[in-house]
Amino acid sequence: MHASIIVFGTELLSGRVRDSHVQYLSRELRLLGVEVREALVLPDDPVLGREELSRMIERGGVVVVCGGLGPTSDDHGRELLASCAGVPLVFREDVWQALVERYPHLSEVPSNRRQAYVPEGFEALPNPAGTAPGLWGRVGKTWVAALPGPPVELARVFGDEVAPRIRAISGRGSDNGERMYTTYLIPESALEDALAPWEGRLTWATQAQPGRVFLVLSGGDEETIRACVASLEERFLPVLVFEGEKDLFVLLKEALARRGLTVGFAESCTGGRIASSLTKVPGASEVFWGGVVVYSNEAKERLLGVRPETLRTFGAVSRQTVEEMVRGVFEHMPVDVAAAVSGIAGPSGGSPEKPVGTVCVGVGRRDGRSRTFRALLRGDRERIQHKSALLAGLLTYILVEEEDWLDRRELADYIENKLT
Amino acid sequence: MHASIIVFGTELLSGRVRDSHVQYLSRELRLLGVEVREALVLPDDPVLGREELSRMIERGGVVVVCGGLGPTSDDHGRELLASCAGVPLVFREDVWQALVERYPHLSEVPSNRRQAYVPEGFEALPNPAGTAPGLWGRVGKTWVAALPGPPVELARVFGDEVAPRIRAISGRGSDNGERMYTTYLIPESALEDALAPWEGRLTWATQAQPGRVFLVLSGGDEETIRACVASLEERFLPVLVFEGEKDLFVLLKEALARRGLTVGFAESCTGGRIASSLTKVPGASEVFWGGVVVYSNEAKERLLGVRPETLRTFGAVSRQTVEEMVRGVFEHMPVDVAAAVSGIAGPSGGSPEKPVGTVCVGVGRRDGRSRTFRALLRGDRERIQHKSALLAGLLTYILVEEEDWLDRRELADYIENKLT
């Protein structure tokens, strides 16, 4: 089955606001096994709107209309739908009563009654997040869903009401045989390379973000997918591949919380990124005690007790320094787990022995020994900082979840020689 | 004049990537006096592409095609254009030579030659940011521009090559007298409100990001623009409006460096975001000594010396606590300037007296007294953390650049009552 999306919003064509509906709906529809054939953004113009909506309805499949359901005179969604379907708009007393019960003040403004009009033969879909109900109905061979424009309302009405209806008409269960994976610190090109031998047995799509790639496998049976993932884990490392759409710092927070552990960070080149990534996760206070951003050498000495000789002999970017930074965390913070990072993010500060991108990471438990790693990351300052923070987060996660991996030769080898 | 935008990209309809071209081009076209009538996102499908592109070309005005100009077999842009224009594709030796001169390795892969094919009668537009040239030509009464898909390349080719051509055909001068401003912590709607009386004398476009709005004024003479900006500064505060496209933390780094000052941060709810925003700026080590992320109360006591009585009596989110945090920075770090933040980012942790979004910020100099502010910010956890970091950065900037503003009633009033 295929779908078309039509988004009404003059503001979206003014350069002021960026549309988010197309991305959200494309993803949700794809997970329902529905392919999006086109997405159109239009101003709140009823003439143009009617013309384009008719054209889309003629194409069949599902048409999702976003916006235009509010109470103002700019909101033409209901009228357009009724006109394209060739049916009258009907005032629905039940819809109006349900609205007024939830929002009594609505009855004070007559124009709010507009929101209780429904094209004849259409269903009104409850909107638990706002006032304008969604709409669902059939025009010829095409199913049409109309959703309120505010993103939170759109997502509620789509998820609660429209998705189940699409599942029912497409005859699919909730499972379309697609499996999603998240990989960290594997370059997209290396992943594509590793997937090439599976051509013909599976189809895949990747989406790369700095340091993270989402991978969707489909078109094969469960066993083929499992075999493919096993081959990726063998070629790279199982600890870099996660099932599902995962955020590393959510995983880290959950792993720490499950074990009742707290963590502290000592950050140099990442400048607070590790702490701020973890504190983006709601409830981070359960596991995050605090951290220090020891950007200068003096800060490393004064806030963590790193010895001046260490800095002098080995340099701020060295395994020795990050090892002392880890120790310093345990001396100054009553945490169970610590991670420390020092590196050269550039653009200046590199040298032949330690070029820009050189990063050292240390992780440890209070009651155990710490391990240190050195990597050479590519990219600009932003990328190097970002990937350094991911590397530290990932190593902390491995320490908490699968500590024995930290001593495996493959991991050190990957970080030191293959990571970029 | 009006324009239509057509964006090719299967990935944009997969839910993985959000389109940014429609917003960018809508804004740029609007500043050229061109109204965008529709924006269509399509998969890389030549059949559908041809049908839709023909339809748009029939409508007249300007059609901007994004993407599909690369060297791979998925890139149908050139063929579509030639087919809709009814002309052959011609290999342009000059375009190829110019490409190979800049990127000698291109000649190794035959498919790269595709990028030197141009529909007969079209201009090839230089692309200083990448390999695929843009295209410009006329089909019937319609002007068509084709731009490479990567955002940086698209912006360069549009700005350098397409915008002047649109100005020429729309009969507008080349200096459009456009002035750009960056405002911090002014809601876009308040800005629009304040601009409304200037309707008819000036045109404007805004682009909002969380906590920051870019404002472009044009269509008026220098004096009118100055008067308009003065009115904004009067309505809001001059310290919130910057000329040009500015990044707050670049401004802060430069202001500190100019005066040879160093800064340290004590962050609670921002979790390292202030430090990480400043350390994104190359050369931050000139001015940034270090900081602490004192997420737990115990961290506030142990890393900064905040008194347990203060935390007990006034709470972690209080002016008293952030004042002691500022003092703690000076006790533990040899910096000239300090900023401290404590707040409730949510989703939990709010109370009737201190709802989610309550944030206290303190700033001070080692040799001066500190000032504290309290604000109530709206939004989800991410927004509150982000705006808190901006507020702390802005107040630090004001402390360094225009310290007397910190004691003005207007500033405290704005932060406490108008900031959201």
Side-chain angles (χ1 to χ4, degrees), chain A residues 328-350:
Chain A
V329 169
F330 290 125
E331 268 159 37
H332 292 80
M333 312 181 200
V335 295
D336 304 306
V337 171
V341 182
S342 186
I344 302 155
S348 60

Side-chain angles (χ1 to χ4, degrees), chain A residues 299-321:
Chain A
K300 294 178 185 73
E301 295 172 21
R302 288 183 56 166
L303 298 181
L304 288 174
V306 173
R307 289 175 304 164
E309 310 88 80
T310 309
L311 291 167
R312 235 183 356 254
T313 316
F314 303 103
V317 180
S318 64
R319 290 166 161 240
Q320 289 84 354
T321 294

Side-chain angles (χ1 to χ4, degrees), chain A residues 245-264:
Chain A
E245 185 167 358
K246 290 291 161 58
D247 178 90
L248 175 61
F249 288 93
V250 171
L251 290 171
L252 176 59
K253 186 244 162 188
E254 285 167 0
L256 289 163
R258 227 170 13 244
R259 286 166 178 76
L261 298 173
T262 57
V263 67

Side-chain angles (χ1 to χ4, degrees), chain A residues 30 51 59 207 216 279, chain B residues 16 41 51 59 279 381:
Chain A
R30 188 153 182 252
E51 185 181 322
R59 293 221 166 142
Q207 187 209 344
V216 183
T279 54
Chain B
R16 304 237 153 72
V41 182
E51 186 180 323
R59 293 224 166 137
T279 54
R381 180 179 176 86

Side-chain angles (χ1 to χ4, degrees), chain A residues 22-23 26, chain B residues 7-15 17-19 21 41:
Chain A
V22 172
Q23 183 187 22
S26 294
Chain B
V7 182
F8 287 105
T10 301
E11 73 284 4
L12 300 171
L13 297 175
S14 74
V17 184
R18 180 170 303 175
D19 162 69
H21 295 333
V41 182

Side-chain angles (χ1 to χ4, degrees), chain A residues 12-20 22-23 26-27 30 36-43 48 51-52 55 59 178 180 205-207 214 216 270-273 275-276 279-285 288-296 298-299 302-303 331-334 347 381-382 385, chain B residues 12-20 22-23 26-27 30 36-43 48 51-52 55 59 188 192 204-208 270-273 275-276 279-285 288-296 298-299 302-303 331-334 347 381-382 385:
Chain A
L12 300 171
L13 298 176
S14 72
R16 296 218 177 94
V17 185
R18 180 171 302 177
D19 163 68
S20 64
V22 172
Q23 183 187 22
S26 294
R27 186 174 128 185
R30 188 153 182 252
V36 177
R37 296 276 307 273
E38 62 177 326
L40 180 64
V41 183
L42 287 182
L48 203 58
E51 185 181 322
E52 298 286 355
R55 190 175 59 77
R59 293 221 166 142
E178 197 175 283
M180 181 137 183
T206 55
Q207 187 209 344
F214 296 118
V216 183
T270 50
R273 248 169 201 266
S276 100
T279 54
K280 275 182 195 160
V281 182
S285 57
F288 182 53
W289 188 86
V292 289
V293 183
V294 286
Y295 209 60
S296 59
E298 202 187 343
R302 288 183 56 166
L303 298 181
E331 268 159 37
H332 292 80
M333 312 181 200
R381 181 178 177 87
E382 161 75 18
Q385 289 180 321
Chain B
L12 300 171
L13 297 175
S14 74
R16 304 237 153 72
V17 184
R18 180 170 303 175
D19 162 69
S20 64
V22 172
Q23 185 188 19
S26 294
R27 184 177 127 187
R30 190 160 176 246
V36 178
R37 296 278 307 275
E38 61 177 326
L40 180 65
V41 182
L42 286 182
L48 202 58
E51 186 180 323
E52 298 286 356
R55 190 176 59 76
R59 293 224 166 137
E188 190 183 23
E192 293 272 359
W204 60 86
T206 56
Q207 186 204 350
T270 48
R273 249 171 201 264
S276 100
T279 54
K280 274 182 197 162
V281 182
S285 56
F288 181 53
W289 188 86
V292 289
V293 182
V294 287
Y295 210 60
S296 60
E298 202 186 344
R302 287 183 56 166
L303 298 181
E331 269 160 36
H332 292 78
M333 312 180 200
R381 180 179 176 86
E382 161 75 19
Q385 289 180 321

